[in-house]
Amino acid sequence: VSTQSTGGLFGKEEQLLEIDQVKKDHIEVIKRFSGGGTVVVDENTFFVSFVGNAAFLKAVNSHEEQTGSTVSVVPTTLMKWTSTFYEKVFYDQSDFLLKENDYVFGERKIAGNAQYIARDRFVHHTSFVFDYNPLNMKYLSIPKKQPQYRQNRDHNTFLLKIKERIPQRDLLLYRIENEIRNLPQYNPKLEVKDIDLSEVLRLRDDYLNHQQYERQDMAIRTHSFFLPLNT
């Protein structure tokens, strides 16, 4: 399995990556169509994405549904709902929190988030650090713009491997999928299945009105969910 680095749409490579080291080791760099920071990606990075609209957010928020008020598709609304969703996934981790824009156990980051929003529709995706090779952190610079709670810590003291709390990969994936099935929009008549990266890219292009994005082949094992949600 190869190692890649993926970064947000507006990130500047020279500020986020150790360019000389990246070039020396032939690390592929991929720019996402959404925002967010830079992540070193390998087979132990889990990606979970939600594609939806304002009606979806209203349905998953019982208070908004009862009052009949509208829901704005903005990053704060997305982060509020997803943090509630993942509180159920990590129900046995009392120190799980949404801290600024990250998911953490205590003061250490376990996942980062990014969004792409177009009017009342959105893509919200999360990169979970189930495990990582500490040596790969040499490819990332310490970002100048960073969450306050990081306090300029290096990557290895800032990040926490989820496997230190939940050792079984399959258990983590089962919990996430189980919570997806509990969503009010879940339709049991539709299929939940694994899809490979080429299919993810095709669906992305279709969703974004066939806009042209540079495609790059990635020799990486991915675990993706096609979510049967009525939106």
Side-chain angles (χ1 to χ4, degrees), residues 159-175:
L159 298 174
L160 179 67
K161 302 174 182 179
I162 295 175
K163 77 170 190 177
E164 294 184 13
R165 300 285 190 91
I166 303 175
Q168 299 85 11
R169 296 165 57 99
D170 290 345
L171 176 59
L172 176 59
L173 294 173
Y174 168 79
R175 288 185 179 186

Side-chain angles (χ1 to χ4, degrees), residues 167-186:
Q168 299 85 11
R169 296 165 57 99
D170 290 345
L171 176 59
L172 176 59
L173 294 173
Y174 168 79
R175 288 185 179 186
I176 294 172
E177 186 172 346
N178 188 58
E179 288 306 319
I180 289 170
R181 294 180 186 277
N182 288 331
L183 291 172
Q185 292 89 342
Y186 178 74

Side-chain angles (χ1 to χ4, degrees), residues 63-149:
H63 173 72
E64 297 292 347
E65 190 173 32
Q66 291 169 3
T67 61
S69 57
T70 59
V71 176
S72 298
V73 180
V74 295
T76 53
T77 305
L78 292 171
M79 293 304 305
K80 179 181 178 181
W81 171 69
T82 56
S83 66
T84 301
F85 176 88
Y86 287 116
E87 282 175 1
K88 300 172 185 176
V89 172
F90 297 109
Y91 65 88
D92 55 350
Q93 305 299 321
S94 60
D95 57 349
F96 171 79
L97 295 169
L98 169 63
K99 191 176 287 286
E100 299 182 49
N101 291 318
D102 298 334
Y103 299 135
V104 302
F105 289 158
E107 294 293 323
R108 298 182 68 183
K109 180 177 178 177
I110 62 165
N113 302 278
Q115 298 94 20
Y116 179 92
I117 298 173
R119 296 185 181 180
D120 68 337
R121 299 191 66 82
F122 68 88
V123 179
H124 174 93
H125 49 251
T126 302
S127 304
F128 285 101
V129 183
F130 181 77
D131 193 8
Y132 70 91
N133 183 347
L135 295 178
N136 287 339
M137 296 301 104
K138 66 185 177 182
Y139 303 121
L140 299 179
S141 301
I142 302 296
K144 293 181 180 180
K145 182 179 180 180
Q146 58 181 259
Q148 185 176 359
Y149 81 96

Side-chain angles (χ1 to χ4, degrees), residues 39-52:
V39 183
V40 174
V41 175
D42 62 16
E43 74 276 16
N44 290 305
T45 309
F46 289 178
F47 302 98
V48 181
S49 298
F50 291 96
V51 180

Side-chain angles (χ1 to χ4, degrees), residues 1 7 33 46 53 55 59 62 68 79 81 85 118 137 157 159 188 198 231:
V1 176
F33 65 93
F46 289 178
N53 57 16
S62 58
M79 293 304 305
W81 171 69
F85 176 88
M137 296 301 104
T157 56
L159 298 174
S198 61
T231 58

